[in-house]
Amino acid sequence: MQLELDKMLAKIKDSQWALADIDWDAPGRELVTENKELYPKLKAFMADLMWIEHVGARGFAAMAKKAPTEDLREIYRYFHAEEQKHANAEMALMKRWGMLDDADTLPEPNINIRLVVEWLDTYADDMPLSVLGSVIPMLEITLDGALCKFLLDTVDDPVCHAAFEKINADEARHLGVDFHVLEMLGHGPLYRQTLEFVAKLLDPRLMIGIASYLPLLNKMRDNLVELGLKEEKLYTAVQKYERIGGTPGGRRNPWFRLISRQGRWVIDRANRAYHVPVDALVKLTAKIPPRALPPVPTWVKQLTWKPAA
Amino acid sequence: MNDIRIPGFKRRKKATIVVDETPKPSQKMVDVLIVGAGFAGLGTAIRLRQAGVHNVVILERGTEVGGTWRDNQYPGAACDIVSNLYSYSFAQNPDWSRSFSGSGEILGYIRQLVKRFDLERLIRFGQNVTGMVFDEPAGIWNVNTADGQTHRARAVVMCQGPLSNSSWPKIPGLETYRGHKIHSARWDHGYDFRGKKVAVVGTGASSIQIVPELVKQAAQVKVFQRTPGWVMPRPDYVSPEWSKKLFARVPAAQSAFRELLFWVHESMALGVVWTTPMTSVMERLMRMYLRSEVKDPWLRRQLTPDFRLGCKRILISNDWYKSLQAPNCELVTWPIAGMSPKGIRTVEGIEHQFDCIVFATGFDVSKAGSPFPVTGLGGRNLDSDWARGAQAYKSVNVSGYPNVFLTFGPNSGPGHNSALVYMEAQIGYIVRGVGKLLGEDLAVLDVKPEVQKAHNDEIQKRLRRTNWNSGCKSWYLTEDGFNSTMYPGLATQYRSQMARFDGKAYRTVPMTVREPV
Ligand SMILES: Cc1cc2nc3c(=O)[nH]c(=O)nc-3n(C[C@H](O)[C@H](O)[C@H](O)COP(=O)(O)OP(=O)(O)OC[C@H]3O[C@@H](n4cnc5c(N)ncnc54)[C@H](O)[C@@H]3O)c2cc1C
Ligand SMILES: [Fe+2]
Ligand SMILES: [Fe+2]
């Protein structure tokens, strides 16, 4: 997938929208609030979704410091902000649906999110572009992509549809750039990529990251199934990562290969070798008392559902 | 009463424009016409007259002298080079009240120059130069102004200033904003910031002086940053009485102090102009300074530059970091998506609403193209000659444009030292050039194209090794990354390059028919 980054940047700049463009008080909220069965599950789902957007935002912030060209750096600066915008918009939906406990507190992140936030805050800026640039497309295509589609299938509120029309349009551009970069990362001598890959895999900082990322995925999968998402949909999304990313350049990138392999494991419940330990990690992390974690980093505090400040 | 005005500075009563009361198609001819009455234009006039050239006129589009320091009177405006060095060596001022004097005091110094050297009668205010054409047979420049006058001169010195045209940023919807807009270089002293929600766009040299002052007055200040710069604290002090007395009584003491300051700045070039071990040491020190001032890791990350030191102008401030952390101040690093009637929309989807937006967004710097149409030999024009980046010989002369001299011409910019050090060197060179032109009664004094080319090849070769050309984007470079602004070396090297006027580098044609004067 070849892409002219300067044109993409111009397109991104031309496609900006703001929370104020959406009428958050338009009729239709009862389609959610009066659905007693859906409501509590959706509340948990929205909180997860919004946190994942926010975590994605932080990932792009890290990438903005590593990108090899000025155009790509600028694109990542925009993506960082756009993911934040998605989180803000999703919070605005939660507000609309009465899912925020009070106007100034954020939805409670689950412990696995907290761990990922913690890891991102401590290590993301030290990770090379090859790691971030390979993980991000996976997150975007499965979580962002599949989740958003699913949400629209489940929720009838027109305001939700209006918001996600904009969010999805952004995501289409994100994916375009993500896979362009994935391909780009595969260039360069194979031996060097492999060496760097092995060296990085042994980096304890990355291991901690993997240890916080894997349970998050499993937990998310469980939440989704709970909400009624067909597992095949996730499976299709993971396959899409493999298919689009599997360009000649992509396949040469060891990170791509690791992540597609792992993606398959996540959705294959029969793979006990993977799921037994990871599910154990989910249970284990659930036991971590929130007090044991340091206070959330200040970048989290910039989240807001208020269209105007 | 608004208290943001710089103390000690009184604005002159509005516009007594001294328009030449006898407009005529053919003005009296002068030996030297100077465009602009800022530091450079006035300094040139002083030195020319000291060298015996008296038939001089200065055209100034404004209504008073001072250029940069007349225009930039925002709260906190001050020089960031110690005043003793940011002043002329031939007109030292023992009375600087502090190390880094404020805009008002610098303007006072410039006005003092006008008085002391009796320049007022040379200046024609309200004369905006719109173009000039060389009359080759006569060896004379015809200089046109906006009010339809034509001035005639044997030589022209272009001192219109590198940073004299303030620029608004290209933000979509800029014109839709309904609140109050202020540009840093055209401050609105009548606006009362108390109780207001204020935005400051930009985090360059002007912004870091404005924000600490606004934070003291406004209810809320949000600062919009695109890229953070390197920030260095400055030794800010009030001049002790004894030093003023000493400098007044023993000028040599002040010269010695000035020399010391000069060498302190020169030594910084090793870190600022080129990437050397000193660059890393300086970067480390500035990071330590940031760390000591800013405790929050995320804010620190937002304020950490991602380019090498020297690639852009180093920012000098003691209170920038502190004021950003004031309870009523916030740093916004989201990209700006556009402006709306009520404020600024950033890409994270939020509309930040303000009573007033301050644009500290700098200047249109002409790096390619000429400031106004200049037509030289055989009808060639400077704008197209410079379309792909400005070039000159020793930053002062341009081949094909005889008898024209520039201050702050191509590749004359200092990255680490006082602009006035460079300016003095240019002025010295110009005075020698004008001396040759008039002394030998030449119609044409034109630098040879091959000499200019060789000079530029050398400059560009040396630039490749500097920080400015190390891959970062800055206003020093054109869109294509051509560097026509900075001088790749020490001020000492620049000075010695300018110390000699090499007649052999120029093609000369003697004046044959003398125009009646
Ligand atoms: C806010 C600020 C702070 C600075 N601080 C420092 C510092 O600390 N140290 C340092 O070394 N440098 C500093 N500089 C750089 C500064 O520009 C120079 O040091 C110096 O003041 C430039 O003087 P000048 O005479 O060349 O130009 P200017 O001072 O800009 O004067 C040019 C004059 O020409 C007039 N003019 C322009 N075009 C025309 C025209 N077409 N017709 C007629 N007249 C015209 C203008 O009105 C103006 O009066 C600073 C610049 C700014 C903007
Ligand atoms: Fe998103
Ligand atoms: Fe995305």
Side-chain angles (χ1 to χ4, degrees):
Chain A
M1 188 178 290
Q2 273 313 313
L3 194 77
E4 285 172 80
L5 290 177
D6 53 339
K7 293 208 179 109
M8 179 51 107
L9 178 59
K11 200 152 116 202
I12 292 166
K13 289 184 175 172
D14 278 346
S15 317
Q16 287 306 314
W17 56 281
L19 262 59
D21 296 341
I22 292 168
D23 178 5
W24 301 99
D25 297 322
R29 64 189 290 275
E30 69 290 346
L31 292 169
V32 170
T33 53
E34 279 162 26
N35 188 333
K36 290 284 169 286
E37 208 225 324
L38 178 71
Y39 191 84
K41 292 180 196 160
L42 189 63
K43 181 173 169 182
F45 174 90
M46 288 302 290
D48 282 353
L49 181 60
M50 167 248 141
W51 279 108
I52 284 174
E53 302 269 20
H54 186 53
V55 159
R58 182 63 183 82
F60 279 123
M63 288 166 80
K65 295 243 181 214
K66 331 240 143 202
T69 67
E70 181 56 34
D71 278 341
L72 195 56
R73 277 194 290 275
E74 183 78 350
I75 286 178
Y76 285 149
R77 277 196 281 271
Y78 271 76
F79 285 1
H80 169 207
E82 286 182 349
E83 295 297 5
Q84 180 87 357
K85 171 158 61 190
H86 301 169
N88 288 340
E90 285 150 17
M91 245 170 93
L93 280 174
M94 293 180 77
K95 172 82 176 61
R96 169 179 169 82
W97 295 330
M99 291 172 177
L100 297 181
D101 295 335
D102 90 65
D104 289 318
T105 42
L106 300 172
E108 200 56 45
N110 69 45
I111 187 72
N112 301 99
I113 295 266
R114 280 288 279 113
L115 289 172
V116 170
V117 165
E118 217 30 65
W119 180 83
L120 277 168
D121 192 49
T122 323
Y123 298 121
D125 289 331
D126 299 330
M127 287 297 129
L129 189 65
S130 57
V131 173
L132 295 167
S134 309
V135 180
I136 290 267
M138 178 58 126
L139 280 171
E140 295 238 77
I141 207 163
T142 51
L143 297 178
D144 245 7
L147 295 194
C148 299
K149 262 204 206 71
F150 167 69
L151 186 70
L152 292 184
D153 291 344
T154 320
V155 176
D156 294 325
D157 183 351
V159 172
C160 178
H161 282 255
F164 273 91
E165 193 179 316
K166 294 184 188 298
I167 292 178
N168 285 335
D170 291 347
E171 287 308 338
R173 285 183 292 273
H174 292 195
L175 287 172
V177 174
D178 289 347
F179 283 101
H180 169 82
V181 171
L182 193 61
E183 158 78 24
M184 193 182 84
L185 289 172
H187 295 288
L190 197 56
Y191 74 90
R192 218 186 64 203
Q193 291 191 43
T194 314
L195 275 180
E196 280 171 2
F197 171 71
V198 173
K200 201 72 214 173
L201 259 189
L202 297 176
D203 182 339
R205 291 173 298 181
L206 182 60
M207 285 189 191
I208 300 174
I210 294 175
S212 23
Y213 165 73
L214 299 185
L216 175 67
L217 289 183
N218 272 29
K219 173 122 188 204
M220 282 300 298
R221 181 207 56 197
D222 295 348
N223 286 358
L224 284 170
V225 173
E226 168 89 350
L227 194 59
L229 175 74
K230 297 276 171 301
E231 282 187 46
E232 297 88 78
K233 287 219 172 133
L234 271 181
Y235 188 62
T236 324
V238 170
Q239 272 184 323
K240 217 159 142 195
Y241 174 80
E242 281 191 57
R243 199 179 63 241
I244 307 178
T247 57
R251 278 199 305 275
R252 285 162 55 92
N253 173 356
W255 293 106
F256 168 75
R257 285 194 284 184
L258 176 72
I259 291 164
S260 10
R261 181 82 40 90
Q262 182 263 346
R264 271 194 246 168
W265 294 336
V266 179
I267 47 180
D268 176 12
R269 281 196 191 244
N271 185 341
R272 294 177 49 80
Y274 179 82
H275 287 288
V276 170
V278 175
D279 285 336
L281 263 182
V282 176
K283 289 219 186 68
L284 194 69
T285 49
K287 293 213 168 66
I288 301 179
R291 281 172 291 111
L293 290 167
V296 287
T298 43
W299 46 269
V300 170
K301 297 184 178 137
Q302 296 182 321
L303 285 166
T304 176
W305 56 266
K306 294 178 187 136
Chain B
M1 181 61 205
N2 76 66
D3 42 16
I4 51 183
R5 192 166 292 177
I6 299 126
F9 169 63
K10 278 188 215 73
R11 249 174 108 77
R12 192 186 282 186
K13 284 250 163 46
K14 253 285 175 258
T16 35
I17 303 183
V18 191
V19 187
D20 199 329
E21 61 301 334
T22 47
K24 39 203 168 284
S26 82
Q27 289 270 328
K28 184 174 130 206
M29 208 185 57
V30 292
D31 285 337
V32 183
L33 182 149
I34 297 169
V35 183
F39 256 126
L42 298 172
T44 305
I46 294 169
R47 296 308 251 178
L48 278 172
R49 294 214 304 174
Q50 289 176 343
V53 181
H54 292 283
N55 191 5
V56 176
V57 69
I58 304 178
L59 303 186
E60 166 57 53
R61 68 180 172 192
T63 56
E64 57 174 315
V65 298
T68 292
W69 303 102
R70 169 201 65 205
D71 296 340
N72 290 272
Q73 292 173 8
Y74 51 78
C79 53
D80 51 21
I81 298 275
V82 177
S83 294
N84 270 297
L85 193 56
Y86 191 67
S87 48
Y88 279 128
S89 71
F90 53 78
Q92 295 197 39
N93 172 19
D95 295 329
W96 292 117
S97 68
R98 47 192 322 120
S99 49
F100 297 90
S101 303
S103 176
E105 191 172 353
I106 301 172
L107 185 58
Y109 168 76
I110 296 176
R111 288 195 182 134
Q112 208 48 47
L113 291 179
V114 173
K115 246 209 209 110
R116 181 163 151 200
F117 295 96
D118 190 24
L119 303 175
E120 185 89 38
R121 35 193 199 88
L122 308 184
I123 310 171
R124 308 283 172 273
F125 288 108
Q127 292 286 303
N128 189 6
V129 173
T130 52
M132 54 193 233
V133 183
F134 189 55
D135 176 352
E136 191 180 348
I140 282 167
W141 279 94
N142 291 305
V143 179
N144 305 314
T145 57
D147 62 359
Q149 298 191 42
T150 301
H151 299 256
R152 291 151 55 75
R154 302 269 312 265
V156 175
V157 188
M158 290 169 62
C159 305
Q160 73 284 345
L163 306 172
S164 54
N165 297 313
S166 53
S167 75
W168 298 89
K170 287 185 205 72
I171 299 179
L174 182 67
E175 64 296 337
T176 63
Y177 176 64
R178 297 264 160 279
H180 198 64
K181 279 203 283 250
I182 300 181
H183 193 288
S184 60
R186 261 174 279 150
W187 198 257
D188 178 356
H189 290 273
Y191 190 78
D192 184 0
F193 284 91
R194 280 171 302 183
K196 300 283 170 45
K197 287 173 81 175
V198 183
V200 178
V201 180
T203 53
S206 302
S207 175
I208 71 158
Q209 297 184 334
I210 294 172
V211 171
E213 296 304 315
L214 285 189
V215 163
K216 290 179 200 157
Q217 299 169 28
Q220 183 209 62
V221 178
K222 283 192 187 178
V223 181
F224 290 78
Q225 171 183 276
R226 225 185 93 81
T227 37
W230 290 99
V231 178
M232 209 166 78
R234 66 181 187 187
D236 207 359
Y237 57 85
V238 174
S239 313
E241 279 311 311
W242 62 260
S243 80
K244 291 191 203 168
K245 284 204 192 107
L246 174 69
F247 290 165
R249 235 173 281 155
V250 191
Q254 189 166 18
S255 301
F257 181 50
R258 186 185 163 94
E259 199 65 6
L260 175 70
L261 290 169
F262 174 80
W263 286 105
V264 168
H265 283 283
E266 279 296 78
S267 64
M268 286 192 13
L270 290 178
V272 174
V273 180
W274 302 279
T275 298
T276 64
M278 177 138 158
T279 315
S280 305
V281 171
M282 288 173 72
E283 285 175 355
R284 169 108 33 107
L285 287 173
M286 290 186 213
R287 266 197 222 103
M288 277 165 59
Y289 173 60
L290 173 61
R291 184 171 285 269
S292 71
E293 291 280 307
V294 180
K295 293 287 170 266
D296 177 41
W298 180 248
L299 182 60
R300 210 156 57 216
R301 183 188 189 275
Q302 289 174 302
L303 290 169
T304 304
D306 45 17
F307 54 85
R308 291 309 297 265
L309 179 82
C311 171
K312 290 180 198 170
R313 197 180 170 80
I314 297 180
L315 305 173
I316 317 274
S317 172
N318 290 342
D319 41 12
W320 168 243
Y321 289 145
K322 264 188 218 86
S323 52
L324 287 177
Q325 297 170 90
N328 61 337
C329 190
E330 189 188 324
L331 178 71
V332 179
T333 55
W334 305 115
I336 293 177
M339 285 182 61
S340 64
K342 286 191 181 156
I344 298 173
R345 288 185 174 187
T346 37
V347 177
E348 96 288 22
I350 306 304
E351 179 172 289
H352 304 262
Q353 300 180 342
F354 302 104
D355 300 308
C356 174
I357 301 182
V358 171
F359 291 87
T361 45
F363 303 86
D364 276 328
V365 183
S366 72
K367 289 161 278 194
S370 87
F372 43 75
V374 178
T375 312
L377 291 178
R380 65 195 289 173
N381 72 75
L382 194 56
D383 207 42
S384 41
D385 277 347
W386 277 2
R388 275 183 294 119
Q391 298 204 351
Y393 176 59
K394 293 188 181 179
S395 80
V396 166
N397 294 112
V398 186
S399 182
Y401 303 85
N403 319 350
V404 172
F405 302 86
L406 319 170
T407 55
F408 276 111
N411 301 107
S412 63
H416 65 285
N417 213 322
S418 169
L420 293 202
V421 165
Y422 287 70
M423 214 182 270
E424 269 194 54
Q426 291 157 21
I427 292 173
Y429 189 87
I430 291 169
V431 170
R432 283 185 282 278
V434 169
K436 183 176 172 74
L437 179 83
L438 299 178
E440 298 175 18
D441 200 19
L442 302 174
V444 167
L445 176 69
D446 190 21
V447 65
K448 295 174 181 162
E450 65 277 12
V451 174
Q452 178 174 315
K453 182 170 183 308
H455 176 77
N456 276 287
D457 290 348
E458 174 66 18
I459 289 274
Q460 291 298 327
K461 200 171 92 203
R462 280 161 55 191
L463 272 169
R464 258 172 258 143
R465 293 194 301 267
T466 64
N467 287 337
W468 308 305
N469 288 34
S470 67
C472 62
K473 222 164 131 181
S474 70
W475 65 261
Y476 298 149
L477 307 182
T478 63
E479 286 295 319
D480 322 326
F482 182 79
N483 191 332
S484 63
T485 46
M486 305 307 279
Y487 175 73
L490 299 167
T492 315
Q493 289 171 291
Y494 186 81
R495 277 210 293 215
S496 77
Q497 154 191 302
M498 304 308 276
R500 246 180 78 243
F501 188 90
D502 180 9
K504 286 197 290 299
Y506 293 79
R507 180 178 71 87
T508 55
V509 178
M511 194 71 100
T512 41
V513 217
R514 200 81 166 87
E515 280 264 319
V517 174

